[in-house]
Amino acid sequence: MHKTKNMNWTEKDDKLTAKLKFRDFKQAFSFMTSVALEAEKMNHHPDWNNVYNNVHITLSTHDEGNKITEKDRALAGAISKIYSTFKLD
């Protein structure tokens, strides 16, 4: 049986952050590719990094003084939706 997980975003220091773990690098990269395509459509892009099966995402709006805006909340929602489609075990 495979399960999906809900994403937990943390709001701190005017940033939304999430730390995610995947089965392997291939799955993490697939997730990042899906997010990249959605972020491009929204014209709002995450700060993120990836080490093997871990992805760390930070969202804030640079044009608004690096604060959380509705753009960030909308992108976080889209990322969460994408994440919910991944089978993690």
Side-chain angles (χ1 to χ4, degrees), residues 22-58:
F22 295 88
R23 286 189 306 228
D24 52 27
F25 176 75
K26 184 172 136 180
Q27 190 181 50
F29 196 85
S30 177
F31 166 79
M32 292 177 73
T33 300
S34 296
V35 170
L37 294 170
E38 187 62 30
E40 188 63 19
K41 284 185 212 172
M42 297 174 79
N43 194 31
H44 193 57
H45 306 90
D47 289 328
W48 56 7
N49 66 49
N50 162 245
V51 177
Y52 184 60
N53 66 334
N54 295 289
V55 177
H56 181 224
I57 303 170
T58 302

Side-chain angles (χ1 to χ4, degrees), residues 1-17:
M1 174 182 218
H2 294 288
K3 64 181 177 179
T4 59
K5 288 188 176 180
N6 293 324
M7 246 178 112
N8 293 318
W9 288 94
T10 302
E11 188 171 332
K12 184 178 177 186
D13 298 327
D14 291 321
K15 293 176 174 57
L16 288 174
T17 61

Side-chain angles (χ1 to χ4, degrees), residues 52-68:
Y52 184 60
N53 66 334
N54 295 289
V55 177
H56 181 224
I57 303 170
T58 302
L59 301 176
S60 66
T61 302
H62 306 294
D63 294 347
E64 297 294 327
N66 295 315
K67 302 215 183 262
I68 299 168

